[in-house]
Amino acid sequence: MKVRDVCRVLAVVLCFTFAFSLFATVSYATTKGEINTSVKAAMDRFKKQVKGSTEYLKAAKGVLVMPNITKAGLGVGGQYGQGALLVGGKTVGYYSLTAGSVGLQIGAEKFDMVILFMTDEVLKKFRSSSGWEASGDADITVIASSADLTVDTLRSKHQIAGFVFDQKGLMGNVSVKGSKFTKIEPK
């Protein structure tokens, strides 16, 4: 394949990824019922797979649950998912996650993500944002699901903690940096 052909293929893939990330935030939401079912299933997996999860959930002021995030890439990539923000165990809003990336990557995967807002201040900032970006608006510390942290350590060192779990696929190296979370209105 000639360099010119490779550039054309990359340009098409880049345009597709860019279009996907733009239009994904326009609320291609499934129904509230479908999102709620996926969120409940992800929370059950979180409680089974993440050490200390029950205590972390009790300590958090808010919990953003993003089940079945899909990530794919071939040189350029993107990821998308829909989930819900829980406060006091009740759904208070629905959100989409979009992200794009360029670099050495190939493959596809699905995973769940739970983001814990440990203070009222960071939760309020997230909820009042029209498009909250990880690392831009706040740093999310991604914690290994096997980590053995006490609630006090988690709360004192991390205002926003993210857990990625139930990964299926061939990509690895999940990052939330640059991910944009946008409020959606599912049917």
Side-chain angles (χ1 to χ4, degrees), residues 116-132:
L116 305 177
F117 297 93
M118 302 307 290
T119 67
D120 288 321
E121 181 183 328
V122 294
L123 176 60
K124 182 179 177 182
K125 186 173 181 180
F126 175 79
R127 291 184 75 182
S128 65
S129 173
S130 62
W132 190 81

Side-chain angles (χ1 to χ4, degrees), residues 104-124:
L104 185 59
Q105 56 190 327
I106 186 168
E109 72 176 337
K110 277 194 171 197
F111 57 92
D112 295 335
M113 181 185 303
V114 167
I115 297 174
L116 305 177
F117 297 93
M118 302 307 290
T119 67
D120 288 321
E121 181 183 328
V122 294
L123 176 60
K124 182 179 177 182

Side-chain angles (χ1 to χ4, degrees), residues 81-112:
Q82 293 179 343
L85 177 65
L86 309 176
V87 175
K90 301 202 182 323
T91 300
V92 296
Y94 296 93
Y95 291 83
S96 68
L97 170 149
T98 57
S101 58
V102 178
L104 185 59
Q105 56 190 327
I106 186 168
E109 72 176 337
K110 277 194 171 197
F111 57 92
D112 295 335

Side-chain angles (χ1 to χ4, degrees), residues 7-45:
C7 289
R8 285 182 184 157
V9 169
L10 286 175
V12 169
V13 171
L14 184 61
C15 288
F16 175 79
T17 302
F18 180 72
F20 174 79
S21 66
L22 279 179
F23 295 116
T25 61
V26 178
S27 180
Y28 287 120
T30 54
T31 67
K32 289 179 182 179
E34 290 170 325
I35 294 173
N36 290 338
T37 299
S38 294
V39 165
K40 183 185 179 325
M43 288 300 287
D44 290 343
R45 289 189 294 272

